[in-house]
Amino acid sequence: MNHLPLLSLGAIQWSFLLLVFTTMSLYAGDPNVVEEPVFLTPEESIDTFILPDGYEINLYASEVDFPLRNPMAMSFDAQGRLWVSNAPTYPHLLPGEPPNDSVVILSDTNRDGRADESTVFLDGLYIPTGFAIRGQGAYIVDQPNLIYAEDIDGDGVADTREIVMHGFGSEDSHHSMSAFEWGPDGAFYFNEGTFHHSQVETPYGPKRVKYGAVFRFDPRSHRLDVFSSYPYANPWGHVFDAWGQNIISDASNGANYAGAQVSSNFDYPREGQEVYTGGTPVESFTPGGRRPTSGTEIIHSRHFPEEVQGRFLINQCIGFHGVRWYRIFDEGSGFGSDSMPQELLRSTDVNFRPVDMMLGPDGALYILDYHNPIVGHMQYSMRDDRRDHAHGRIWRITHRDGPALEPPEVVRASTASLLNLLEAYESRTRYHARLELQSREPADVLPALDQWIASSNPEDSGHEHRLLEGLWVYQGLGAVNQPLLERLLQAKDPRARSAATRVLRHSLTAINDPLPLLRQQVHDDDQRVRLEAVLACGFIPSSDAANVALMATKRPMDTAFEYVLDRTIAVLGKYGEPSGPIPTDFMLKRLDTEDLIEEDLDEFVAYELLTRGDGVSSEKRNSALQYRSEERRVGKECRSR
């Protein structure tokens, strides 16, 4: 018998095996999966839910009355309709069968908290793991394509369909494009998991990704960028807070990251890097082991009590079946969190599989339920007979003391009315108003936007956030208001300065000589502002940008910041070595001791040798000490002359 030559495996092969065995152990023996699954009716399922006192849940829609089959993603449009993608084809097509997954639109016309109408917007799709609504249409996953379909005549059914981009990885269908989320900048973001090899042709050249990433697509310019290349397993969550800071959630390990800490212009993995290291360089800001997770939201809705505003929500669909929530706060260059004594939602029905969520126009929280005895396809056969292709549900969480909110008019609203909605408390109201403004013609928006900015009262508590909302609208329209940008780069609130620095990063080609602005930001008192400045430097092809980024070493940095700085300097290395004492010190600290010993002795090398622990011989240490002593003696003699 031939045996696998394990002893000859390289580091990458060992790492891959570690990933496989670790993942299998996490999934193996799932006690929630039974030989003969039993499905509860929606009415019976209500009794399986456990919520904190005061919270209530009701069925919004189910497979009983609507075409919901293996729903994977959902999103509200500006009219208050709920779009849902169905993927009964998952995990793959059977031979000889055509793809027929779909996107459906659900409506609650009488506002009683239950859907009463539906239309099939588009069918004939293949595993649509995500989509982003724009106007009367949507960008939709049709693996391995990103397509755009639009309803021209307003009947809720797509009249046109075109491929926007092709070449996204689809080797592992549930690792494909997912977690679509519009950023405040007018671009939409979507994630991709490991084991994929995307190669996408774009008008700006090909974009290639391996082993997990977050993409950023600007629909106005059709520019596709890799926002984050990182050793993700399968990121299925993405959400932005009120100040434009994003949270990226990795489903497989349950890790949640501050977006800035895992983004850069550095492609992972580079030549010589291991594909999997058994861990990730940046720590999750929420407790580990709570996995797998998908779908995220942040509560900014006056329907819910004051004490839960700003809480970060995330679904979990194996072991714990429900919605976890955390109090989050700024910490270092990212976030910190506190767990709650009771989670927002838990179900004893093992078929309840929450995979997406969103706050609705009425202020309630809507949960998408994949509703299946089996999820994933590593631990069970792809053709396991227990896989269900006939169920799908949407649940609605409310608070008994909070009245439903009045949905705002967005689609037919004037530009002036939409600008006023940017001051609304509800995050999703601002989200829809901003999207509507950014989808209109610039000539129809910019004059009113200029007036709205000019009318803002500096004495108002929300003044800087209002200016930031205005800056995002300019950005989404493809316009650069440099005076407003520079004004916000020096705002009083560090969250505004951080957000403005990110806008600068995405506007570098439109700004004359951005390095002086970044040099200003890299000396900011706030660590997150400095981090955003370092990230921006990584997109300027020059050694001068590396010198500016390295100025950050003069101020405190947490480990995630150091990781981002390392990646920034690495990606800028091809443009020439940075010069001066700060770069020299930075580079020497990152040399292995064996390589450091081979360096020619100078004052920097000598100092680094003396500060190292093990690995430096007594002879080498004495040489360094003698060199520094000689340097000091010569220096004193020169000064005495």
Side-chain angles (χ1 to χ4, degrees):
M1 179 181 292
N2 294 324
H3 295 278
L4 181 67
L6 288 175
L7 295 179
S8 66
L9 288 176
I12 291 180
Q13 289 92 337
W14 271 112
S15 299
F16 175 77
L17 285 174
L18 174 62
L19 172 61
V20 171
F21 292 142
T22 301
T23 306
M24 290 178 67
S25 67
L26 288 170
Y27 282 111
D30 183 352
N32 296 324
V33 178
V34 296
E35 290 301 318
E36 297 294 333
V38 175
F39 289 94
L40 302 178
T41 66
E43 291 73 22
E44 292 170 333
S45 291
I46 286 284
D47 295 330
T48 72
F49 291 119
I50 303 167
L51 299 95
D53 184 46
Y55 291 83
E56 300 172 341
I57 189 167
N58 71 272
L59 180 72
Y60 178 78
S62 78
E63 75 281 354
V64 176
D65 300 307
F66 300 100
L68 293 175
R69 307 288 185 270
N70 298 135
M72 286 192 169
M74 72 175 191
S75 184
F76 281 96
D77 66 13
Q79 299 179 55
R81 302 178 302 178
L82 185 58
W83 297 44
V84 182
S85 67
N86 292 295
T89 298
Y90 176 80
H92 64 81
L93 280 173
L94 294 176
E97 291 188 1
N100 197 32
D101 297 332
S102 64
V103 172
V104 302
I105 302 176
L106 303 172
S107 300
D108 174 11
T109 60
N110 60 6
R111 297 184 184 177
D112 66 348
R114 293 178 64 97
D116 46 48
E117 289 184 358
S118 73
T119 58
V120 177
F121 174 75
L122 185 65
D123 56 16
L125 298 167
Y126 183 51
I127 311 186
T129 42
F131 61 90
I133 302 168
R134 184 173 175 87
Q136 293 298 109
Y139 293 90
I140 305 170
V141 175
D142 184 23
Q143 297 186 27
N145 303 324
L146 178 68
I147 69 170
Y148 180 74
E150 188 171 10
D151 170 18
I152 304 297
D153 55 16
D155 63 354
V157 179
D159 301 297
T160 63
R161 168 178 172 164
E162 62 175 327
I163 296 176
V164 177
M165 288 183 179
H166 170 83
F168 292 98
S170 58
E171 298 94 315
D172 191 348
S173 57
H174 80 294
H175 281 213
S176 190
M177 298 171 280
S178 67
F180 280 62
E181 181 74 4
W182 286 98
D185 53 2
F188 66 80
Y189 296 71
F190 54 97
N191 304 350
E192 178 176 282
T194 191
F195 307 135
H196 278 198
H197 298 74
S198 288
Q199 180 166 301
V200 185
E201 292 293 337
T202 82
Y204 304 87
K207 297 295 179 181
R208 299 181 178 90
V209 159
K210 294 181 181 179
Y211 307 112
V214 177
F215 291 97
R216 177 183 184 268
F217 181 73
D218 182 346
R220 194 170 288 275
S221 65
H222 271 226
R223 185 178 185 93
L224 179 75
D225 290 306
V226 179
F227 176 82
S228 172
S229 177
Y230 188 75
Y232 298 111
N234 191 14
W236 260 72
H238 200 165
V239 69
F240 288 81
D241 72 7
W243 294 90
Q245 293 296 319
N246 54 330
I247 295 172
I248 300 168
S249 303
D250 199 343
S252 294
N253 55 24
N256 296 290
Y257 305 110
Q261 294 181 333
V262 291
S263 64
S264 70
N265 198 20
F266 184 97
D267 296 330
Y268 171 90
R270 292 232 163 179
E271 185 177 355
Q273 284 186 315
E274 292 186 358
V275 173
Y276 182 76
T277 62
T280 50
V282 178
E283 291 186 2
S284 170
F285 69 83
T286 58
R290 298 181 168 187
R291 51 149 317 277
T293 56
S294 64
T296 54
E297 184 62 288
I298 297 175
I299 296 180
H300 283 116
S301 166
R302 288 169 295 174
H303 171 75
F304 292 105
E306 176 65 28
E307 63 267 20
V308 304
Q309 300 301 313
R311 285 191 187 176
F312 170 64
L313 312 179
I314 189 160
N315 293 314
Q316 184 175 336
C317 60
I318 292 179
F320 176 92
H321 298 246
V323 181
R324 296 190 184 276
W325 54 356
Y326 303 90
R327 185 181 73 87
I328 61 173
F329 46 86
D330 293 342
E331 185 173 83
S333 65
F335 296 105
S337 70
D338 291 327
S339 299
M340 297 295 104
Q342 182 179 355
E343 302 296 0
L344 175 59
L345 177 67
R346 182 167 190 169
S347 175
T348 57
D349 181 2
V350 296
N351 295 326
F352 174 63
R353 307 286 188 172
V355 295
D356 203 359
M357 69 174 82
M358 193 174 194
L359 289 166
D362 58 353
L365 179 69
Y366 291 73
I367 308 293
L368 186 64
D369 178 6
Y370 181 73
H371 210 80
N372 210 299
I374 294 178
V375 292
H377 54 246
M378 174 174 279
Q379 67 278 38
Y380 300 104
S381 167
M382 288 189 176
R383 300 188 184 183
D384 192 307
D385 290 337
R386 293 169 297 179
R387 291 189 185 278
D388 176 76
H389 302 281
H391 291 78
R393 297 168 185 181
I394 301 167
W395 305 95
R396 175 176 174 267
I397 296 178
T398 56
H399 195 277
R400 65 185 175 209
D401 295 332
L405 304 180
E406 184 69 22
E409 177 60 57
V410 174
V411 175
R412 289 178 291 275
S414 66
T415 296
S417 297
L418 290 172
L419 289 168
N420 288 333
L421 286 179
L422 296 180
E423 300 180 70
Y425 175 80
E426 276 67 37
S427 57
R428 290 302 179 182
T429 297
R430 299 194 308 275
Y431 171 93
H432 290 299
R434 196 187 306 118
L435 278 178
E436 178 65 24
L437 286 165
Q438 292 168 334
S439 65
R440 295 183 177 185
E441 290 300 316
D444 297 333
V445 177
L446 291 177
L449 179 58
D450 290 337
Q451 294 179 8
W452 186 72
I453 291 293
S455 68
S456 185
N457 184 357
E459 302 302 318
D460 289 346
S461 59
H463 171 67
E464 290 185 341
H465 192 269
R466 178 176 179 170
L467 296 185
L468 180 59
E469 288 283 358
L471 183 66
W472 284 329
V473 175
Y474 283 111
Q475 186 181 12
L477 290 170
V480 176
N481 186 331
Q482 189 163 339
L484 178 60
L485 172 60
E486 293 186 16
R487 184 177 175 184
L488 282 166
L489 288 173
Q490 300 185 62
K492 293 180 181 178
D493 195 316
R495 296 171 297 181
R497 300 198 302 272
S498 175
T501 308
R502 184 175 293 194
V503 173
L504 175 59
R505 188 206 324 175
H506 293 304
S507 309
L508 290 171
T509 58
I511 302 292
N512 291 325
D513 193 12
L515 274 178
L517 295 175
L518 292 174
R519 187 177 294 110
Q520 164 191 293
Q521 300 308 98
V522 88
H523 290 295
D524 195 275
D525 290 336
D526 185 80
Q527 188 171 176
R528 185 178 287 174
V529 177
R530 300 197 297 273
L531 177 62
E532 290 285 355
V534 166
L535 283 170
C537 286
F539 292 83
I540 300 176
S542 75
S543 59
D544 290 338
N547 280 324
V548 171
L550 284 167
M551 291 178 182
T553 61
K554 293 184 176 181
R555 305 292 293 272
M557 294 186 292
D558 55 28
T559 55
F561 196 142
E562 291 179 352
Y563 170 71
V564 171
L565 180 59
D566 282 346
R567 285 160 62 102
T568 297
I569 299 306
V571 80
L572 294 176
K574 59 186 174 183
Y575 304 111
E577 292 293 328
S579 59
I582 293 177
T584 301
D585 181 59
F586 177 84
M587 300 300 185
L588 289 175
K589 286 184 181 300
R590 279 147 183 80
L591 283 180
D592 293 335
T593 300
E594 291 181 3
D595 294 328
L596 177 66
I597 291 172
E598 298 301 319
E599 292 287 315
D600 293 334
L601 207 59
D602 62 20
E603 61 176 310
F604 300 108
V605 174
Y607 177 80
E608 186 63 25
L609 284 168
L610 291 170
T611 57
R612 289 288 173 102
D614 297 336
V616 180
S617 66
S618 299
E619 180 182 359
K620 200 68 178 179
R621 199 179 299 277
N622 289 336
S623 296
L625 185 60
Q626 183 177 351
Y627 181 91
R628 284 181 59 82
S629 298
E630 181 65 19
E631 284 291 302
R632 289 172 182 166
R633 183 185 64 78
V634 172
K636 287 180 180 179
E637 289 178 356
C638 290
R639 287 193 295 272
S640 66
R641 296 193 186 111

